[in-house]
Amino acid sequence: MTERDVILNELAQGLRPMSQGIEWFDTHGPEEQAEVLLFLRHHCVQARAVTEDGPESIRRAGLRPTHTPAVLITRGPINRQLGRIAGLTPVDERRKAFRLLVAVLAVADERRRDRFCSDGCGHWWHRLSVAGR
């Protein structure tokens, strides 16, 4: 587990405010930001994000439906769209992509936790509220 792992999971679980997440994201250069977005995309896939997660994720991210990442997530298979969102390059779009991907991870992981981990699990990130606080 790296600091990045902990920060992203704390954001997805609401243990850290998004304002801190954006500040952290902004401290990274363009290449590092691209890595963070790809890392988030991977975690969304691992959490079994589905196309139906899009609208709730947009709402949680505080994006308008017309923002580029929001438009992308509602158009087509989610795995392909997550990759496109992670690949956005303008700074403003990257910040929106970051917020949206964190929200997608939150929605998908909540569902996974309810369905598969409600009786306990070995996922370290599901113990952050106990271990990290």
Side-chain angles (χ1 to χ4, degrees), residues 3 10 13 27 45 54 58 68 75 83 124 126 130:
E3 177 187 14
E10 285 177 343
Q13 293 176 37
T27 66
V45 171
I58 293 166
T68 302
R75 296 208 175 152
W124 64 263
H126 288 166
V130 175

Side-chain angles (χ1 to χ4, degrees), residues 23 40 42 58 89 91 113 125 130:
E23 285 177 27
L40 270 168
H42 173 74
I58 293 166
T89 54
V91 173
R113 186 186 297 225
W125 58 92
V130 175

Side-chain angles (χ1 to χ4, degrees), residues 71-91:
V71 170
L72 288 173
I73 202 159
T74 60
R75 296 208 175 152
I78 194 159
N79 289 350
R80 185 178 325 150
Q81 298 308 83
L82 291 171
R84 289 180 177 156
I85 292 164
L88 292 171
T89 54
V91 173

Side-chain angles (χ1 to χ4, degrees), residues 3-50:
E3 177 187 14
R4 176 183 63 188
D5 295 321
V6 172
I7 289 170
L8 295 176
N9 279 285
E10 285 177 343
L11 289 166
Q13 293 176 37
L15 300 173
R16 180 184 294 258
M18 182 52 73
S19 58
Q20 282 183 12
I22 295 294
E23 285 177 27
W24 173 81
F25 185 71
D26 285 347
T27 66
H28 294 78
E31 287 181 23
E32 293 167 314
Q33 286 181 347
E35 288 176 22
V36 168
L37 294 174
L38 288 173
F39 185 78
L40 270 168
R41 178 216 171 268
H42 173 74
H43 279 299
C44 291
V45 171
Q46 292 297 319
R48 301 180 184 158
V50 295

Side-chain angles (χ1 to χ4, degrees), residues 49-79:
V50 295
T51 302
E52 293 77 20
D53 294 339
E56 176 63 13
S57 300
I58 293 166
R59 186 191 69 72
R60 289 189 189 192
L63 299 181
R64 286 182 282 185
T66 56
H67 286 145
T68 302
V71 170
L72 288 173
I73 202 159
T74 60
R75 296 208 175 152
I78 194 159
N79 289 350

